[in-house]
Amino acid sequence: LDEPTTGLHFIDVGRLLSVLQRLVDAGNTLVVIEHHVDLIAAADWVIDLGPEGGEAGGADVGAGPPSELARQEDSATGRALRLRQKTSLRKR
């Protein structure tokens, strides 16, 4: 899937996550290209390409579970995941 959350309301992103999880639970493999941090955080495995787009992109910045990627200082996706963790902790 290529950017399936584009244009979705945040409630619909949650619905999409539920549908994707049901597909995985049924034994399917999903490959999703996505920038929405909630969808990235819900992934089993993330491949972070970068460090930018265009000529500065395409390098393997990191790969692994979202929790592991969040610990990688040179990963923009890791920074976004860390920020998500901090803001979700403050909401509790």
Side-chain angles (χ1 to χ4, degrees):
L1 303 171
D2 186 7
E3 298 282 353
T5 62
T6 300
L8 293 182
H9 186 275
F10 72 92
I11 291 173
D12 293 324
V13 171
R15 291 177 179 150
L16 175 64
L17 278 168
S18 295
V19 170
L20 296 178
Q21 189 59 58
R22 286 199 319 259
L23 288 168
V24 170
D25 291 345
N28 297 287
T29 299
L30 299 178
V31 176
V32 181
I33 301 165
E34 187 58 74
H35 289 91
H36 195 289
V37 71
D38 291 333
L39 197 79
I40 295 169
D44 293 326
W45 193 265
V46 178
I47 300 172
D48 188 8
L49 299 176
E52 302 288 335
E55 293 293 321
D60 181 359
V61 176
S67 60
E68 183 179 307
L69 199 60
R71 293 191 297 267
Q72 296 182 9
E73 294 295 325
D74 58 342
S75 166
T77 303
R79 285 189 296 275
L81 289 166
R82 286 191 303 277
L83 180 61
R84 179 185 180 275
Q85 289 171 345
K86 287 179 185 177
T87 56
S88 66
L89 288 175
R90 276 191 240 140
K91 290 179 184 176
R92 291 181 183 177

